[in-house]
């Protein structure tokens, strides 16, 4: 038996889907969950096993879009904005928008140069990192609170995440120039930005549950009109706080982490950033990206100083396009499921 809930109406479900897509809220407390439960009736029971097909397809497409747009394109965009600033400071030319903002164009360029496998060249490193991170977090949570265990696992595996980013932004034949793991100086340079980003992730994961427990109604009796209004207002307040943390904590700390990781790569390595005027297979080198900023690895505070309004707006644009794609997939899955009920 499979339980699927057709009530409340599809628009309310899609609105919650959109809100929880825009705002990073992992864990067991999705945003607007309490308000949604007030309108929710009993789930519809069905034996239709064909529902697994659209649901599974939606999960796979959601994962691919989150990885390709949310990690690959976002990492390229962050580095490309640095490279654009270098060119402007050198020639005083009119500021050009980074080409990686245009998802279809960027996908087509990368696909022509390396096929679909180039877009997923870092997927093995990503899976390795998250498997190791989950194991270390679960083992550490035996002795430590789960938020502390998550942060500690992220810091310990900072170099593993560095290789994930390297596999993502570098062309495949350039990875041989990256020094082998267990470089203590590189790990030490990654500790602070990794700690800040993992702390931001932990806040985003655990803050909704913490606030919900503080703002939950005192009794489990039938909810009155005043109680309903209180629950809706508190859920909206939590969502607003999470959106603020998303924009001014999580996203800037992610930019800092990517910048520090990229600055630790050998300057001669070619990235996936391409200039139209260059030869077909030649990418912008790491040294060219950071040539007008600093020679050598960046410190976390130096990377933080590079965060500007323009870079944040570009990242938000790409992030918004990713959320729009995810909403379209969610709408298609819901439509297919409802038509099969």
């Amino acid at each position: 038996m499979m339980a699927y809930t057709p009530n409340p109406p599809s628009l309310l479900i899609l609105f919650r889907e959109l809100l929880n897509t825009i705002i990073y809220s992992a864990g067991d407390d999705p945003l607007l969950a309490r308000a949604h439960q007030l309108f929710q009736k009993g789930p519809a029971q069905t034996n239709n096993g064909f529902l697994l097909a659209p649901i599974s397809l939606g999960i796979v497409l959601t994962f691919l879009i989150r990885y390709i747009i949310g990690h690959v394109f976002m990492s390229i965009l962050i580095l490309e904005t640095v490279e654009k600033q270098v060119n402007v400071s050198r020639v005083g030319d009119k500021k050009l928008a980074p080409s990686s903002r245009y998802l279809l164009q960027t996908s087509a360029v990368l696909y022509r140069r390396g096929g679909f496998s180039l877009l997923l060249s870092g997927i093995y490193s990503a899976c390795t990192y998250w498997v190791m991170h989950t194991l270390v977090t679960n083992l550490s949570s035996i002795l430590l609170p789960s938020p502390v265990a998550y942060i500690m696992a992220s810091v310990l595996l900072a170099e593993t995440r560095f290789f994930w980013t390297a596999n993502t932004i570098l062309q495949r034949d350039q990875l041989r120039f990256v020094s082998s793991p267990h470089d203590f100086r590189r790990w030490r340079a990654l500790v602070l930005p990794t700690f800040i980003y993992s702390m931001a992730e932990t806040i985003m994961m655990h803050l909704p549950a913490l606030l919900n427990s503080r703002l939950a109604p005192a009794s489990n009796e039938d909810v009155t009109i005043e109680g309903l209004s209180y629950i809706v207002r508190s859920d909206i307040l939590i969502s607003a706080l999470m959106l603020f943390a998303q924009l001014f904590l999580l996203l800037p700390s992610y930019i800092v982490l990517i910048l520090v990781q990229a600055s630790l790569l050998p300057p001669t390595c070619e990235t996936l950033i391409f200039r139209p005027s260059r030869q077909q297979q030649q990418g912008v080198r790491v040294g060219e990206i950071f040539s007008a900023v600093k020679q050598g690895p960046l410190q976390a505070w130096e990377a933080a100083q590079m965060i500007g309004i323009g870079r944040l707006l570009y990242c938000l644009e790409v992030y918004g396009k990713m959320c729009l794609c995810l909403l379209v997939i969610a709408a298609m899955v819901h439509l297919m499921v409802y038509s099969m009920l």
Side-chain angles (χ1 to χ4, degrees), residues 90-156:
R90 280 181 174 177
V91 301
D93 199 0
K94 181 180 179 180
K95 189 175 182 179
L96 300 175
S99 58
S100 52
R101 293 170 55 212
Y102 309 106
L103 304 184
L104 292 178
Q105 175 184 336
T106 305
S107 302
V109 170
L110 294 179
Y111 184 81
R112 285 198 302 267
R113 285 168 170 80
F116 191 68
S117 60
L118 183 60
L119 295 172
L120 298 176
S121 59
I123 195 71
Y124 176 78
S125 299
C127 293
T128 301
Y129 171 77
W130 283 115
V131 168
M132 296 175 63
H133 192 282
T134 302
L135 292 175
V136 175
T137 302
N138 290 338
L139 290 175
S140 302
S141 60
I142 298 175
L143 301 174
L144 300 171
S146 57
V148 178
Y150 184 92
I151 295 174
M152 190 181 75
S154 300
V155 172
L156 291 176

Side-chain angles (χ1 to χ4, degrees), residues 18 35 53 82 103 171 185 187 235 258 277 282 290 310 317 330:
L18 175 63
V82 178
L103 304 184
Q171 299 193 56
R185 283 187 292 182
W187 176 82
D235 271 10
I258 293 296
S277 59
Q282 189 177 9
F290 296 100
E317 179 184 351

Side-chain angles (χ1 to χ4, degrees), residues 227-267:
L228 172 62
S229 176
Y230 174 80
I231 290 175
V232 172
R233 286 199 308 268
S234 62
D235 271 10
I236 293 175
L237 175 61
I238 293 172
S239 301
L241 291 176
M242 295 296 291
L243 180 60
F244 181 86
Q246 169 96 11
L247 297 179
F248 298 102
L249 180 62
L250 185 68
L251 183 57
S253 61
Y254 180 75
I255 294 175
V256 169
L257 179 61
I258 293 296
L259 290 175
V260 174
Q261 287 176 333
S263 69
L264 291 168
L265 294 169

